[in-house]
Amino acid sequence: MARFANKIAVVTGAGSGIGEKTAHQLAAEGATVILVGRTPSKLERVAEQINEKKDGASVVFQADVTKEEDIAALSDFIQSEYGTLHVLVNNAGTSGNTTILEMETSEWDRIQDTNLKSVYLVSKSLGRLMVDQEDGESDRAIVNVASLSGHKAGAKIPHYSSSKAAVIHFSKSLALEFAPHGIRVNSVSPGFAETPLTEEGLKNQRFEDAIKRNTALGRVGKPEEIAQVITFAASKEASYMTGSDLLVDGGWLIK
Ligand code: NAI
C-alpha cells in the first residue's frame, strides 16, 4: 500500500526546487498535496505534472507564508475541502548574502520572516487543524526544512544561519508540545542542492568547486535527494522519530 494513500498533505514553497520534488514524491505515494506558494503559474505547472499521473492528486493554493491572513485562508480551505490534515512540510524559504555591518534591518526581517516566522505561523494555524481534526488517523507529521547552515555558521549569512538554527530548535519544542496529539515534528537540514535558490552561486565555478571539495561525497546534491528524506520523515516508517534533525549534506559537516 502506498505510504500516503488517503492522506492530505501541505507543501509550502512547492513551485520549485526541494518543495516541488517533495510534492511529486508525496503524490506519487498516494497523497493529495496542497501546493502552497506565492506564484500561481509556478504551482500550476507542478500541479499539471502531478495530476497527469494516476497515483496522487494536487491542488494549488496561493499564499504568502509570512502573511497571517493568507495562512488563515489556507486553513479555512483545508477545513472546508478536506476536514483534516495529515502532513505539513514547511519548506518555503529564502537566502541572502550580507555581513552584519552592511545589513539593512529590513533584510534581516525579510529572512527571519520568510524562514522562521512563517514556520511558526503555518505550524500554529495548520497545527491547530491537525490537533483538532482527529479522524482516527494515528500518525500525523510536520517536517520543517532547516539547513546545514543551521548547524554551521557562514560569513555573510548571519540572518540565514540564525533563522535555520532557530527552525531546528523550534521543531524540537513543537515536537514536545504536539507529541501527546500523535503529531511528530522533525526538521531536515539540506546541504547544497541544485535549486533556483543556489542557481546563481553555482554559476560561479570556484564556488561549485569549493562545495565539491568540502563535501565528503564530492558533489552538489539533487533536490529529489533532499525530498526523499523529507518524505521519509513524513511517513509512518519514521513513526518513532520526533524532535530529530536529519542532516542531508553529502558529508559536509564531517569534513
Ligand atoms: P527554491 O527557491 O527553489 O524554493 C523555495 C520556494 O519557497 C520558492 O518556490 C519560493 O517562491 C517559495 N517562497 C519563498 N518565500 C515565500 C513566501 N513568503 N511564501 C510562500 N512561498 C515562498 O529553493 P530550495 O533550495 O528548493 O529551498 C527550499 C528550502 O530548502 C528552503 O527553506 C531553503 O532555505 C532550504 N535549503 C536549501 C538548500 C539548497 O542548497 N538548495 C540548502 C539548505 C536549505
Side-chain angles (χ1 to χ4, degrees):
M1 171 115 156
R3 287 188 295 180
F4 297 98
N6 305 318
K7 299 268 180 119
I8 310 299
V10 162
V11 178
T12 69
S16 60
I18 294 167
E20 174 180 350
K21 298 296 180 194
T22 303
H24 273 286
Q25 290 180 18
L26 291 171
E29 297 200 53
T32 296
V33 186
I34 302 160
L35 309 171
V36 176
R38 292 167 302 183
T39 318
S41 57
K42 278 167 56 179
L43 300 168
E44 276 151 17
R45 180 184 57 81
V46 179
E48 263 169 38
Q49 290 168 354
I50 288 176
N51 297 340
E52 265 171 22
K53 299 177 192 154
K54 290 278 177 303
D55 309 327
S58 67
V59 292
V60 166
F61 194 93
Q62 183 183 12
D64 181 329
V65 291
T66 66
K67 294 195 173 142
E68 273 189 275
E69 62 273 23
D70 285 14
I71 300 164
L74 171 63
S75 176
D76 290 348
F77 170 76
I78 297 167
Q79 176 80 284
S80 66
E81 287 295 311
Y82 309 104
T84 191
L85 180 66
H86 304 104
V87 171
L88 166 60
V89 180
N90 280 309
N91 162 78
T94 191
S95 68
N97 194 29
T98 324
T99 63
I100 291 171
L101 292 179
E102 286 162 352
M103 195 179 301
E104 300 285 343
T105 304
S106 58
E107 173 63 358
W108 173 268
D109 288 343
R110 184 182 74 84
I111 299 286
Q112 298 294 339
D113 286 358
T114 307
N115 291 356
L116 176 60
K117 190 176 175 192
S118 71
V119 177
Y120 152 71
L121 289 174
V122 177
S123 300
K124 181 176 172 168
S125 182
L126 302 195
R128 165 60 62 199
L129 201 60
M130 293 167 96
V131 166
D132 286 349
Q133 302 293 317
E134 285 164 10
D135 60 356
E137 175 55 66
S138 56
D139 192 64
R140 290 165 196 265
I142 297 177
V143 185
N144 297 325
V145 180
S147 173
L148 165 65
S149 302
H151 295 265
K152 189 178 184 307
K156 290 194 164 187
I157 51 166
H159 44 355
Y160 182 77
S161 52
S162 60
S163 73
K164 292 299 190 178
V167 166
I168 294 167
H169 279 264
F170 175 83
S171 305
K172 292 182 195 297
S173 300
L174 197 63
L176 282 172
E177 183 174 336
F178 279 5
H181 301 286
I183 303 167
R184 297 179 299 98
V185 185
N186 295 286
S187 54
V188 169
S189 286
F192 282 92
E194 263 175 61
T195 70
L197 195 73
T198 54
E199 200 175 8
E200 264 317 298
L202 289 173
K203 279 183 191 156
N204 178 343
Q205 193 58 46
R206 279 176 57 201
F207 181 70
E208 187 175 347
D209 290 345
I211 291 172
K212 289 180 176 166
R213 227 179 14 256
N214 284 309
T215 307
L217 292 179
R219 64 177 176 84
V220 175
K222 298 190 180 79
E224 50 268 38
E225 293 179 296
I226 314 298
Q228 276 157 10
V229 179
I230 295 171
T231 303
F232 162 72
S235 79
K236 267 196 171 148
E237 283 177 277
S239 57
Y240 198 54
M241 188 179 77
T242 196
S244 282
D245 179 73
L246 299 172
L247 190 60
V248 194
D249 70 342
W252 179 291
L253 215 56
I254 54 169
K255 253 201 122 178

